[in-house]
Amino acid sequence: MYSKSNRILIGVVIIVCVVGGVMVFQSTYAKSTTNQSHTNSPNYPENKNGQTYGSSADATSPEAEPELVSAIGVDGTAGYVLKKDLDGELPKSPEEAIAIQNSRSPDGRDIPLFDVDGETVIGVFHVGGK
């Protein structure tokens, strides 16, 4: 059928093609994951106090959310809530997380709804509960 040298040559060609294909795939994969990890965070505007404001829906991660998150108050008023108020107390351990969860009211809680200045309270926003 094929001589020994032809079989060796065919084997080498196959190995080179497989290795080349793997290298191209890895290079393409690396470029695509690099591009995904550098997605542009939204460029939120700042109020007179230097606080960023806007919709959290535009954020690429919780860390990229604005300091003032747009919200609709219980009476339909449009305004902003402080991200730190919205997030609430953050636990430092699993035990603390359980304690915080157990101490929360099943009806939720109210936090202030601010104007874009982050100072003027214009209403109430309800977090959690029913």
Side-chain angles (χ1 to χ4, degrees):
M1 184 150 181
Y2 292 109
S3 68
K4 185 175 181 179
S5 62
N6 282 346
R7 281 186 272 165
I8 291 173
L9 181 61
I10 291 171
V12 169
V13 168
I14 289 173
I15 290 171
V16 168
C17 289
V18 169
V19 170
V22 168
M23 290 174 62
V24 168
F25 174 77
Q26 285 179 340
S27 174
T28 304
Y29 179 75
K31 287 179 186 175
S32 69
T33 57
T34 300
N35 290 341
Q36 290 174 2
S37 65
H38 294 301
T39 55
N40 293 333
S41 294
N43 190 14
Y44 292 110
E46 290 185 8
N47 64 15
K48 66 179 181 173
N49 297 317
Q51 296 169 300
T52 56
Y53 63 92
S55 172
S56 62
D58 298 331
T60 56
S61 69
E63 294 78 24
E65 291 178 354
E67 295 166 274
L68 291 166
V69 179
S70 59
I72 305 294
V74 295
D75 65 353
T77 303
Y80 298 89
V81 294
L82 289 170
K83 180 179 177 353
K84 65 180 184 175
D85 290 347
L86 193 58
D87 291 345
E89 184 181 0
L90 298 177
K92 295 173 184 59
S93 69
E95 295 79 18
E96 190 175 339
I98 292 170
I100 291 170
Q101 186 175 0
N102 290 337
S103 70
R104 288 188 176 157
S105 168
D107 296 328
R109 60 192 169 88
D110 291 337
I111 60 174
L113 184 72
F114 294 96
D115 193 10
V116 72
D117 64 10
E119 295 175 343
T120 307
V121 177
I122 59 172
V124 173
F125 181 79
H126 189 77
V127 180
K130 299 174 184 173

